């Protein structure tokens, strides 16, 4: 039985959220109690007077001290190197073309810790800004003064350079004792400042101040409300079309609709919507003219010649019989009852696998319902189940025009792309879905089955092992929507069977 902690610990947690934006789960309350005790002892205050000082909002020195206790400073050069490849190969050229000649690239490293990220950016950009009129300047900010002091010294160990390309290491570092010292040319390109990302700092977040913002592994420590506010400030501070890089475990799903999702060099990142050409908004990379309606082959199981779309139709004997019955069975017109009641009926039909009748009901809903994201997703799923892949894609794209970071829409697009024979496009949309929602099991399963058809055994094992883990805890309503007539046990059995085949082929 857990021991109840004193009320002042909960009060301390609330104040940390208010002043720093940081979120700590209940499991961290014992540790927060230890931090509070250390700070009370260091300041020679009582718990009550210490907390009152924090509540007053004037204890900036104490916020700095707390930052050293509460923030994570471990990082290394070229962490998640694929993002730096994207910066070098795509982002920099695009941003330079979008601005006037003579202005340098303006980059912010938000939550820079001990400087490895900011210096990595400077190294990448050094040889790309060949125009002498373009100044290289990276602004790097953090709330923790101790790590900023380390960053300014620019002295690192081998461990901090463990992912640094050999050519960069040889060019920009010199050994000095047991440390490696960064070259002055790169040090001079970075300016470090102590700033609190939780605050609405007018100067830091000035409108259009940056072309690129790196804010990696920061939002994951914020409460959802504070994270949304921070992203809004970043969006405001980016120039039209500016770029935002997040950590690999972070997405803007549920936080902002101000960005387009981009995917290049194996890396996901975001581009501010303002100033984007309309053609670039298209969430897929395939021409509409390549779409066509394909009737799925009725097969009972996935085999090496079949597809997951075909596997969804393994229930087609039942579904087709039900569809025949539904086409002649009378039902109330959609306009006879409120939209909410009709949607409830659609969900009921879906649960009963009466997809054709559900589709008829959805298509009969009044025009104003066509802008409801949940309804659009349901409509797209029904179209995909019915083999109407072109219409399913169009519906997904209408949904993505409203909510571009909708993981479900990308998964249904993956089914539609596979349905017309575009496996590469299917895999791309599955990857977008898994990035946007790492807990989403179905795109992992689909990627595994696509890999099996391509003969990529390592990818089969990687994706299906992850799918197995996610399926165990996948939400039941999401399985109903996306499972294609398979229940949880059937999907788990399918994963295990495919992994067994994969192991036998090894």
């Amino acid at each position: 039985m857990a021991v109840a902690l004193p009320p002042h610990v909960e009060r301390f947690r609330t104040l940390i959220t208010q002043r720093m934006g940081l979120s700590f789960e209940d499991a961290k309350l014992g540790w927060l109690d230890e931090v509070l005790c250390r700070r009370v002892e260091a300041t020679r205050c009582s718990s009550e007077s210490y907390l009152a000082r924090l509540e007053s909002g004037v204890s900036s020195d104490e916020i700095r001290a707390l930052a050293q206790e509460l923030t994570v400073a471990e990082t290394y050069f070229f962490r998640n190197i694929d993002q730096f490849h994207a910066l070098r190969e795509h982002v920099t050229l695009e941003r330079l073309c979008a601005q006037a000649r003579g202005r340098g690239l303006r980059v912010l490293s938000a939550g820079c810790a001990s400087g490895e990220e900011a210096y990595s950016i400077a190294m990448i950009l050094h040889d790309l800004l060949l125009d002498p009129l373009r100044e290289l300047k990276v602004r790097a900010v953090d709330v923790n003064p101790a790590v900023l002091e380390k960053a300014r010294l620019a002295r690192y160990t081998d461990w901090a350079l463990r992912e640094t390309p050999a050519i960069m290491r040889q060019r920009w570092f010199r050994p000095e004792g047991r440390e490696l010292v960064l070259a002055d040319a790169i040090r001079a390109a970075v300016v470090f400042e102590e700033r609190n990302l939780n605050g609405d700092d007018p100067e830091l977040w000035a409108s259009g101040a940056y072309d690129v913002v790196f804010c990696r592994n920061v939002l994951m420590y914020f409460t959802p409300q504070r994270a949304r506010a921070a992203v809004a400030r970043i969006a405001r501070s980016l120039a039209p079309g500016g770029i935002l890089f997040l950590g690999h475990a972070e997405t803007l799903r549920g936080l902002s609709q101000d960005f387009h999702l981009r995917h290049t060099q194996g890396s996901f990142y975001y581009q501010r919507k303002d100033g984007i050409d309309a053609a670039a908004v298209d969430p897929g990379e395939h021409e509409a003219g390549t779409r066509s309606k394909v009737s799925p082959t009725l097969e009972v199981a996935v085999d090496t010649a079949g597809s997951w779309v075909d596997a969804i139709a393994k229930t087609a004997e039942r579904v087709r019989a039900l569809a025949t019955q539904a086409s002649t069975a009378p039902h109330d017109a959609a306009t006879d009852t409120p939209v909410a009641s009709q949607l409830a009926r659609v969900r009921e039909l879906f649960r009963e696998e009466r997809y054709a009748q559900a589709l008829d009901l959805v298509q009969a809903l009044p025009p104003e319902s066509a802008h409801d994201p949940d309804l659009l997703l349901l409509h797209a799923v029904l179209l995909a189940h019915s083999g109407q892949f072109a219409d399913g894609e169009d519906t997904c794209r209408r949904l993505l025009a409203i909510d571009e970071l909708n993981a479900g829409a990308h998964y249904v697009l993956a089914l539609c792309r596979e349905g017309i024979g575009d496996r590469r496009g299917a895999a791309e949309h599955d990857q977008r879905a898994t990035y946007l929602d790492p807990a989403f099991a179905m795109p992992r399963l689909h990627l595994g089955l696509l890999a099996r058809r391509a003969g990529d055994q390592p990818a089969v094992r990687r994706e299906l092992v992850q799918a197995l883990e996610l399926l165990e805890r996948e939400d039941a309503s999401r399985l109903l929507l996306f499972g294609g007539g398979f229940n949880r046990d059937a999907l788990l059995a399918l994963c295990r069977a495919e992994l067994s085949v994969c192991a036998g082929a090894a």
Side-chain angles (χ1 to χ4, degrees), residues 20 63-74 111-114 141-152 193-197:
M20 304 176 71
I63 295 300
R64 300 173 71 210
L66 283 172
Q68 297 180 54
E69 292 264 17
L70 300 173
T71 57
V72 179
E74 198 283 328
C112 66
S114 45
V141 302
D142 201 281
V143 71
N144 186 336
V147 295
L148 289 173
E149 183 59 30
K150 179 180 177 182
R152 293 186 184 100
E193 301 175 16
E194 184 183 329
R195 302 275 183 161
N196 187 346
L197 299 181

PDB file of all heavy atoms in Angstrom, residues 20 63-74 111-114 141-152 193-197:
ATOM      1  N   MET A  20       7.768  26.251 -14.468  1.00  0.00           N
ATOM      2  CA  MET A  20       8.686  25.667 -15.440  1.00  0.00           C
ATOM      3  C   MET A  20       7.998  24.843 -16.522  1.00  0.00           C
ATOM      4  O   MET A  20       8.641  24.435 -17.484  1.00  0.00           O
ATOM      5  CB  MET A  20       9.725  24.801 -14.715  1.00  0.00           C
ATOM      6  CG  MET A  20      10.508  25.555 -13.643  1.00  0.00           C
ATOM      7  SD  MET A  20      11.645  24.490 -12.713  1.00  0.00           S
ATOM      8  CE  MET A  20      12.885  24.157 -13.957  1.00  0.00           C
ATOM      9  N   ILE A  63      14.485  29.311  -9.281  1.00  0.00           N
ATOM     10  CA  ILE A  63      14.106  28.580 -10.496  1.00  0.00           C
ATOM     11  C   ILE A  63      15.360  28.054 -11.182  1.00  0.00           C
ATOM     12  O   ILE A  63      15.382  26.925 -11.686  1.00  0.00           O
ATOM     13  CB  ILE A  63      13.299  29.484 -11.454  1.00  0.00           C
ATOM     14  CG1 ILE A  63      11.961  29.866 -10.811  1.00  0.00           C
ATOM     15  CG2 ILE A  63      13.067  28.790 -12.783  1.00  0.00           C
ATOM     16  CD1 ILE A  63      11.071  28.691 -10.482  1.00  0.00           C
ATOM     17  N   ARG A  64      16.412  28.844 -11.197  1.00  0.00           N
ATOM     18  CA  ARG A  64      17.674  28.389 -11.790  1.00  0.00           C
ATOM     19  C   ARG A  64      18.223  27.196 -11.026  1.00  0.00           C
ATOM     20  O   ARG A  64      18.719  26.229 -11.616  1.00  0.00           O
ATOM     21  CB  ARG A  64      18.686  29.529 -11.796  1.00  0.00           C
ATOM     22  CG  ARG A  64      18.239  30.753 -12.585  1.00  0.00           C
ATOM     23  CD  ARG A  64      19.209  31.914 -12.411  1.00  0.00           C
ATOM     24  NE  ARG A  64      20.453  31.683 -13.094  1.00  0.00           N
ATOM     25  CZ  ARG A  64      21.641  32.164 -12.695  1.00  0.00           C
ATOM     26  NH1 ARG A  64      21.707  32.869 -11.578  1.00  0.00           N
ATOM     27  NH2 ARG A  64      22.723  31.914 -13.387  1.00  0.00           N
ATOM     28  N   ALA A  65      18.146  27.251  -9.712  1.00  0.00           N
ATOM     29  CA  ALA A  65      18.636  26.135  -8.899  1.00  0.00           C
ATOM     30  C   ALA A  65      17.787  24.890  -9.124  1.00  0.00           C
ATOM     31  O   ALA A  65      18.314  23.772  -9.224  1.00  0.00           O
ATOM     32  CB  ALA A  65      18.624  26.533  -7.423  1.00  0.00           C
ATOM     33  N   LEU A  66      16.478  25.066  -9.215  1.00  0.00           N
ATOM     34  CA  LEU A  66      15.606  23.925  -9.460  1.00  0.00           C
ATOM     35  C   LEU A  66      15.853  23.310 -10.839  1.00  0.00           C
ATOM     36  O   LEU A  66      15.746  22.098 -11.015  1.00  0.00           O
ATOM     37  CB  LEU A  66      14.141  24.356  -9.341  1.00  0.00           C
ATOM     38  CG  LEU A  66      13.600  24.536  -7.927  1.00  0.00           C
ATOM     39  CD1 LEU A  66      12.211  25.149  -7.966  1.00  0.00           C
ATOM     40  CD2 LEU A  66      13.572  23.195  -7.192  1.00  0.00           C
ATOM     41  N   ALA A  67      16.189  24.159 -11.798  1.00  0.00           N
ATOM     42  CA  ALA A  67      16.471  23.644 -13.138  1.00  0.00           C
ATOM     43  C   ALA A  67      17.622  22.650 -13.110  1.00  0.00           C
ATOM     44  O   ALA A  67      17.615  21.645 -13.834  1.00  0.00           O
ATOM     45  CB  ALA A  67      16.785  24.792 -14.087  1.00  0.00           C
ATOM     46  N   GLN A  68      18.631  22.917 -12.280  1.00  0.00           N
ATOM     47  CA  GLN A  68      19.759  22.001 -12.173  1.00  0.00           C
ATOM     48  C   GLN A  68      19.351  20.677 -11.538  1.00  0.00           C
ATOM     49  O   GLN A  68      19.945  19.635 -11.813  1.00  0.00           O
ATOM     50  CB  GLN A  68      20.873  22.659 -11.364  1.00  0.00           C
ATOM     51  CG  GLN A  68      21.431  23.913 -12.031  1.00  0.00           C
ATOM     52  CD  GLN A  68      22.539  24.564 -11.225  1.00  0.00           C
ATOM     53  OE1 GLN A  68      23.518  23.912 -10.863  1.00  0.00           O
ATOM     54  NE2 GLN A  68      22.391  25.845 -10.931  1.00  0.00           N
ATOM     55  N   GLU A  69      18.332  20.703 -10.694  1.00  0.00           N
ATOM     56  CA  GLU A  69      17.851  19.487 -10.041  1.00  0.00           C
ATOM     57  C   GLU A  69      16.901  18.688 -10.929  1.00  0.00           C
ATOM     58  O   GLU A  69      16.897  17.459 -10.900  1.00  0.00           O
ATOM     59  CB  GLU A  69      17.117  19.852  -8.744  1.00  0.00           C
ATOM     60  CG  GLU A  69      17.985  20.406  -7.636  1.00  0.00           C
ATOM     61  CD  GLU A  69      18.395  19.317  -6.655  1.00  0.00           C
ATOM     62  OE1 GLU A  69      18.288  18.122  -7.015  1.00  0.00           O
ATOM     63  OE2 GLU A  69      18.819  19.674  -5.545  1.00  0.00           O
ATOM     64  N   LEU A  70      16.092  19.387 -11.717  1.00  0.00           N
ATOM     65  CA  LEU A  70      14.939  18.744 -12.338  1.00  0.00           C
ATOM     66  C   LEU A  70      15.074  18.444 -13.820  1.00  0.00           C
ATOM     67  O   LEU A  70      14.321  17.626 -14.349  1.00  0.00           O
ATOM     68  CB  LEU A  70      13.692  19.633 -12.141  1.00  0.00           C
ATOM     69  CG  LEU A  70      13.284  19.919 -10.695  1.00  0.00           C
ATOM     70  CD1 LEU A  70      12.146  20.934 -10.671  1.00  0.00           C
ATOM     71  CD2 LEU A  70      12.860  18.636  -9.996  1.00  0.00           C
ATOM     72  N   THR A  71      15.986  19.102 -14.525  1.00  0.00           N
ATOM     73  CA  THR A  71      16.065  18.910 -15.968  1.00  0.00           C
ATOM     74  C   THR A  71      17.119  17.880 -16.334  1.00  0.00           C
ATOM     75  O   THR A  71      18.118  17.717 -15.641  1.00  0.00           O
ATOM     76  CB  THR A  71      16.376  20.235 -16.693  1.00  0.00           C
ATOM     77  OG1 THR A  71      17.596  20.796 -16.177  1.00  0.00           O
ATOM     78  CG2 THR A  71      15.248  21.229 -16.465  1.00  0.00           C
ATOM     79  N   VAL A  72      16.864  17.198 -17.443  1.00  0.00           N
ATOM     80  CA  VAL A  72      17.752  16.143 -17.928  1.00  0.00           C
ATOM     81  C   VAL A  72      18.762  16.759 -18.885  1.00  0.00           C
ATOM     82  O   VAL A  72      18.385  17.397 -19.869  1.00  0.00           O
ATOM     83  CB  VAL A  72      16.953  15.037 -18.639  1.00  0.00           C
ATOM     84  CG1 VAL A  72      17.875  13.959 -19.176  1.00  0.00           C
ATOM     85  CG2 VAL A  72      15.931  14.442 -17.676  1.00  0.00           C
ATOM     86  N   ALA A  73      20.046  16.541 -18.628  1.00  0.00           N
ATOM     87  CA  ALA A  73      21.086  17.203 -19.431  1.00  0.00           C
ATOM     88  C   ALA A  73      21.869  16.236 -20.309  1.00  0.00           C
ATOM     89  O   ALA A  73      22.757  16.648 -21.033  1.00  0.00           O
ATOM     90  CB  ALA A  73      22.050  17.949 -18.508  1.00  0.00           C
ATOM     91  N   GLU A  74      21.576  14.949 -20.273  1.00  0.00           N
ATOM     92  CA  GLU A  74      22.367  13.976 -21.034  1.00  0.00           C
ATOM     93  C   GLU A  74      22.053  14.079 -22.520  1.00  0.00           C
ATOM     94  O   GLU A  74      20.905  13.994 -22.949  1.00  0.00           O
ATOM     95  CB  GLU A  74      22.048  12.555 -20.549  1.00  0.00           C
ATOM     96  CG  GLU A  74      23.096  11.513 -20.942  1.00  0.00           C
ATOM     97  CD  GLU A  74      23.026  11.060 -22.386  1.00  0.00           C
ATOM     98  OE1 GLU A  74      21.922  11.014 -22.949  1.00  0.00           O
ATOM     99  OE2 GLU A  74      24.090  10.757 -22.965  1.00  0.00           O
ATOM    100  N   GLY A 111      16.224  24.383 -25.478  1.00  0.00           N
ATOM    101  CA  GLY A 111      16.536  23.274 -24.581  1.00  0.00           C
ATOM    102  C   GLY A 111      17.855  22.656 -24.992  1.00  0.00           C
ATOM    103  O   GLY A 111      17.972  21.448 -25.197  1.00  0.00           O
ATOM    104  N   CYS A 112      18.869  23.485 -25.121  1.00  0.00           N
ATOM    105  CA  CYS A 112      20.145  23.079 -25.736  1.00  0.00           C
ATOM    106  C   CYS A 112      21.036  22.266 -24.816  1.00  0.00           C
ATOM    107  O   CYS A 112      22.035  21.702 -25.269  1.00  0.00           O
ATOM    108  CB  CYS A 112      20.902  24.313 -26.221  1.00  0.00           C
ATOM    109  SG  CYS A 112      21.449  25.409 -24.872  1.00  0.00           S
ATOM    110  N   ALA A 113      20.730  22.214 -23.510  1.00  0.00           N
ATOM    111  CA  ALA A 113      21.542  21.459 -22.544  1.00  0.00           C
ATOM    112  C   ALA A 113      22.998  21.899 -22.635  1.00  0.00           C
ATOM    113  O   ALA A 113      23.290  23.095 -22.651  1.00  0.00           O
ATOM    114  CB  ALA A 113      21.371  19.969 -22.766  1.00  0.00           C
ATOM    115  N   SER A 114      23.920  20.941 -22.733  1.00  0.00           N
ATOM    116  CA  SER A 114      25.350  21.274 -22.684  1.00  0.00           C
ATOM    117  C   SER A 114      25.946  21.592 -24.045  1.00  0.00           C
ATOM    118  O   SER A 114      27.168  21.576 -24.218  1.00  0.00           O
ATOM    119  CB  SER A 114      26.136  20.139 -22.023  1.00  0.00           C
ATOM    120  OG  SER A 114      25.747  18.881 -22.514  1.00  0.00           O
ATOM    121  N   VAL A 141      19.350  28.106 -26.171  1.00  0.00           N
ATOM    122  CA  VAL A 141      18.805  28.538 -24.875  1.00  0.00           C
ATOM    123  C   VAL A 141      18.465  27.331 -24.012  1.00  0.00           C
ATOM    124  O   VAL A 141      18.099  26.262 -24.502  1.00  0.00           O
ATOM    125  CB  VAL A 141      17.543  29.416 -25.069  1.00  0.00           C
ATOM    126  CG1 VAL A 141      17.866  30.635 -25.911  1.00  0.00           C
ATOM    127  CG2 VAL A 141      16.403  28.625 -25.698  1.00  0.00           C
ATOM    128  N   ASP A 142      18.593  27.533 -22.704  1.00  0.00           N
ATOM    129  CA  ASP A 142      18.234  26.507 -21.733  1.00  0.00           C
ATOM    130  C   ASP A 142      17.951  27.189 -20.398  1.00  0.00           C
ATOM    131  O   ASP A 142      18.481  28.287 -20.131  1.00  0.00           O
ATOM    132  CB  ASP A 142      19.344  25.467 -21.586  1.00  0.00           C
ATOM    133  CG  ASP A 142      18.839  24.154 -20.998  1.00  0.00           C
ATOM    134  OD1 ASP A 142      18.650  24.082 -19.768  1.00  0.00           O
ATOM    135  OD2 ASP A 142      18.628  23.199 -21.780  1.00  0.00           O
ATOM    136  N   VAL A 143      17.172  26.540 -19.557  1.00  0.00           N
ATOM    137  CA  VAL A 143      16.832  27.102 -18.250  1.00  0.00           C
ATOM    138  C   VAL A 143      17.877  26.765 -17.191  1.00  0.00           C
ATOM    139  O   VAL A 143      17.919  27.374 -16.126  1.00  0.00           O
ATOM    140  CB  VAL A 143      15.439  26.596 -17.805  1.00  0.00           C
ATOM    141  CG1 VAL A 143      15.481  25.117 -17.448  1.00  0.00           C
ATOM    142  CG2 VAL A 143      14.882  27.426 -16.655  1.00  0.00           C
ATOM    143  N   ASN A 144      18.764  25.814 -17.500  1.00  0.00           N
ATOM    144  CA  ASN A 144      19.732  25.315 -16.526  1.00  0.00           C
ATOM    145  C   ASN A 144      21.072  26.027 -16.702  1.00  0.00           C
ATOM    146  O   ASN A 144      21.787  25.789 -17.680  1.00  0.00           O
ATOM    147  CB  ASN A 144      19.905  23.806 -16.721  1.00  0.00           C
ATOM    148  CG  ASN A 144      20.775  23.162 -15.658  1.00  0.00           C
ATOM    149  OD1 ASN A 144      21.602  23.813 -15.034  1.00  0.00           O
ATOM    150  ND2 ASN A 144      20.591  21.865 -15.450  1.00  0.00           N
ATOM    151  N   PRO A 145      21.467  26.895 -15.774  1.00  0.00           N
ATOM    152  CA  PRO A 145      22.714  27.655 -15.941  1.00  0.00           C
ATOM    153  C   PRO A 145      23.961  26.777 -15.884  1.00  0.00           C
ATOM    154  O   PRO A 145      24.976  27.120 -16.500  1.00  0.00           O
ATOM    155  CB  PRO A 145      22.677  28.651 -14.776  1.00  0.00           C
ATOM    156  CG  PRO A 145      21.794  28.020 -13.755  1.00  0.00           C
ATOM    157  CD  PRO A 145      20.770  27.255 -14.519  1.00  0.00           C
ATOM    158  N   ALA A 146      23.911  25.675 -15.167  1.00  0.00           N
ATOM    159  CA  ALA A 146      25.085  24.810 -15.049  1.00  0.00           C
ATOM    160  C   ALA A 146      25.458  24.183 -16.391  1.00  0.00           C
ATOM    161  O   ALA A 146      26.636  24.145 -16.771  1.00  0.00           O
ATOM    162  CB  ALA A 146      24.831  23.726 -14.001  1.00  0.00           C
ATOM    163  N   VAL A 147      24.456  23.698 -17.128  1.00  0.00           N
ATOM    164  CA  VAL A 147      24.773  23.081 -18.418  1.00  0.00           C
ATOM    165  C   VAL A 147      25.181  24.133 -19.438  1.00  0.00           C
ATOM    166  O   VAL A 147      25.990  23.856 -20.343  1.00  0.00           O
ATOM    167  CB  VAL A 147      23.594  22.237 -18.940  1.00  0.00           C
ATOM    168  CG1 VAL A 147      23.329  21.053 -18.020  1.00  0.00           C
ATOM    169  CG2 VAL A 147      22.333  23.059 -19.138  1.00  0.00           C
ATOM    170  N   LEU A 148      24.663  25.343 -19.325  1.00  0.00           N
ATOM    171  CA  LEU A 148      25.067  26.411 -20.237  1.00  0.00           C
ATOM    172  C   LEU A 148      26.533  26.780 -20.040  1.00  0.00           C
ATOM    173  O   LEU A 148      27.252  27.054 -21.007  1.00  0.00           O
ATOM    174  CB  LEU A 148      24.185  27.642 -20.030  1.00  0.00           C
ATOM    175  CG  LEU A 148      22.736  27.514 -20.509  1.00  0.00           C
ATOM    176  CD1 LEU A 148      21.928  28.734 -20.095  1.00  0.00           C
ATOM    177  CD2 LEU A 148      22.685  27.331 -22.026  1.00  0.00           C
ATOM    178  N   GLU A 149      26.980  26.756 -18.794  1.00  0.00           N
ATOM    179  CA  GLU A 149      28.394  27.038 -18.530  1.00  0.00           C
ATOM    180  C   GLU A 149      29.270  25.973 -19.163  1.00  0.00           C
ATOM    181  O   GLU A 149      30.315  26.266 -19.757  1.00  0.00           O
ATOM    182  CB  GLU A 149      28.631  27.102 -17.018  1.00  0.00           C
ATOM    183  CG  GLU A 149      30.058  27.472 -16.638  1.00  0.00           C
ATOM    184  CD  GLU A 149      30.503  28.819 -17.196  1.00  0.00           C
ATOM    185  OE1 GLU A 149      29.630  29.708 -17.367  1.00  0.00           O
ATOM    186  OE2 GLU A 149      31.707  28.975 -17.485  1.00  0.00           O
ATOM    187  N   LYS A 150      28.855  24.737 -19.062  1.00  0.00           N
ATOM    188  CA  LYS A 150      29.598  23.654 -19.709  1.00  0.00           C
ATOM    189  C   LYS A 150      29.603  23.834 -21.223  1.00  0.00           C
ATOM    190  O   LYS A 150      30.624  23.614 -21.895  1.00  0.00           O
ATOM    191  CB  LYS A 150      28.977  22.305 -19.343  1.00  0.00           C
ATOM    192  CG  LYS A 150      29.680  21.121 -19.995  1.00  0.00           C
ATOM    193  CD  LYS A 150      29.026  19.800 -19.614  1.00  0.00           C
ATOM    194  CE  LYS A 150      29.724  18.650 -20.342  1.00  0.00           C
ATOM    195  NZ  LYS A 150      29.100  17.336 -20.034  1.00  0.00           N
ATOM    196  N   ALA A 151      28.465  24.251 -21.772  1.00  0.00           N
ATOM    197  CA  ALA A 151      28.372  24.448 -23.220  1.00  0.00           C
ATOM    198  C   ALA A 151      29.348  25.518 -23.691  1.00  0.00           C
ATOM    199  O   ALA A 151      30.000  25.365 -24.735  1.00  0.00           O
ATOM    200  CB  ALA A 151      26.942  24.838 -23.595  1.00  0.00           C
ATOM    201  N   ARG A 152      29.465  26.591 -22.942  1.00  0.00           N
ATOM    202  CA  ARG A 152      30.365  27.677 -23.349  1.00  0.00           C
ATOM    203  C   ARG A 152      31.826  27.246 -23.313  1.00  0.00           C
ATOM    204  O   ARG A 152      32.639  27.738 -24.097  1.00  0.00           O
ATOM    205  CB  ARG A 152      30.137  28.888 -22.447  1.00  0.00           C
ATOM    206  CG  ARG A 152      28.755  29.531 -22.619  1.00  0.00           C
ATOM    207  CD  ARG A 152      28.626  30.810 -21.810  1.00  0.00           C
ATOM    208  NE  ARG A 152      27.285  31.377 -21.904  1.00  0.00           N
ATOM    209  CZ  ARG A 152      26.333  31.255 -20.986  1.00  0.00           C
ATOM    210  NH1 ARG A 152      26.601  30.611 -19.850  1.00  0.00           N
ATOM    211  NH2 ARG A 152      25.150  31.784 -21.161  1.00  0.00           N
ATOM    212  N   GLU A 193      22.200  31.338 -24.152  1.00  0.00           N
ATOM    213  CA  GLU A 193      21.448  32.236 -23.284  1.00  0.00           C
ATOM    214  C   GLU A 193      20.607  31.423 -22.305  1.00  0.00           C
ATOM    215  O   GLU A 193      20.091  30.354 -22.649  1.00  0.00           O
ATOM    216  CB  GLU A 193      20.505  33.121 -24.104  1.00  0.00           C
ATOM    217  CG  GLU A 193      21.193  33.978 -25.145  1.00  0.00           C
ATOM    218  CD  GLU A 193      20.181  34.722 -25.999  1.00  0.00           C
ATOM    219  OE1 GLU A 193      19.001  34.804 -25.585  1.00  0.00           O
ATOM    220  OE2 GLU A 193      20.555  35.195 -27.084  1.00  0.00           O
ATOM    221  N   GLU A 194      20.463  31.964 -21.102  1.00  0.00           N
ATOM    222  CA  GLU A 194      19.590  31.337 -20.110  1.00  0.00           C
ATOM    223  C   GLU A 194      18.170  31.847 -20.312  1.00  0.00           C
ATOM    224  O   GLU A 194      17.893  33.029 -20.143  1.00  0.00           O
ATOM    225  CB  GLU A 194      20.083  31.677 -18.703  1.00  0.00           C
ATOM    226  CG  GLU A 194      19.298  30.979 -17.606  1.00  0.00           C
ATOM    227  CD  GLU A 194      19.770  31.385 -16.223  1.00  0.00           C
ATOM    228  OE1 GLU A 194      20.976  31.683 -16.060  1.00  0.00           O
ATOM    229  OE2 GLU A 194      18.926  31.415 -15.301  1.00  0.00           O
ATOM    230  N   ARG A 195      17.282  30.939 -20.692  1.00  0.00           N
ATOM    231  CA  ARG A 195      15.882  31.296 -20.951  1.00  0.00           C
ATOM    232  C   ARG A 195      14.981  30.165 -20.466  1.00  0.00           C
ATOM    233  O   ARG A 195      15.339  28.992 -20.535  1.00  0.00           O
ATOM    234  CB  ARG A 195      15.630  31.498 -22.446  1.00  0.00           C
ATOM    235  CG  ARG A 195      16.502  32.572 -23.098  1.00  0.00           C
ATOM    236  CD  ARG A 195      15.907  33.948 -22.949  1.00  0.00           C
ATOM    237  NE  ARG A 195      16.720  34.953 -23.653  1.00  0.00           N
ATOM    238  CZ  ARG A 195      16.289  36.144 -23.994  1.00  0.00           C
ATOM    239  NH1 ARG A 195      15.041  36.506 -23.713  1.00  0.00           N
ATOM    240  NH2 ARG A 195      17.078  36.995 -24.621  1.00  0.00           N
ATOM    241  N   ASN A 196      13.783  30.541 -20.024  1.00  0.00           N
ATOM    242  CA  ASN A 196      12.785  29.577 -19.581  1.00  0.00           C
ATOM    243  C   ASN A 196      11.780  29.376 -20.708  1.00  0.00           C
ATOM    244  O   ASN A 196      11.020  30.286 -21.042  1.00  0.00           O
ATOM    245  CB  ASN A 196      12.086  30.086 -18.317  1.00  0.00           C
ATOM    246  CG  ASN A 196      11.146  29.061 -17.705  1.00  0.00           C
ATOM    247  OD1 ASN A 196      10.796  28.058 -18.324  1.00  0.00           O
ATOM    248  ND2 ASN A 196      10.736  29.308 -16.468  1.00  0.00           N
ATOM    249  N   LEU A 197      11.755  28.189 -21.298  1.00  0.00           N
ATOM    250  CA  LEU A 197      10.875  27.926 -22.433  1.00  0.00           C
ATOM    251  C   LEU A 197       9.407  27.924 -22.040  1.00  0.00           C
ATOM    252  O   LEU A 197       8.526  27.969 -22.902  1.00  0.00           O
ATOM    253  CB  LEU A 197      11.226  26.577 -23.077  1.00  0.00           C
ATOM    254  CG  LEU A 197      12.638  26.460 -23.649  1.00  0.00           C
ATOM    255  CD1 LEU A 197      12.842  25.088 -24.271  1.00  0.00           C
ATOM    256  CD2 LEU A 197      12.900  27.546 -24.681  1.00  0.00           C
TER     257      LEU A 197
END
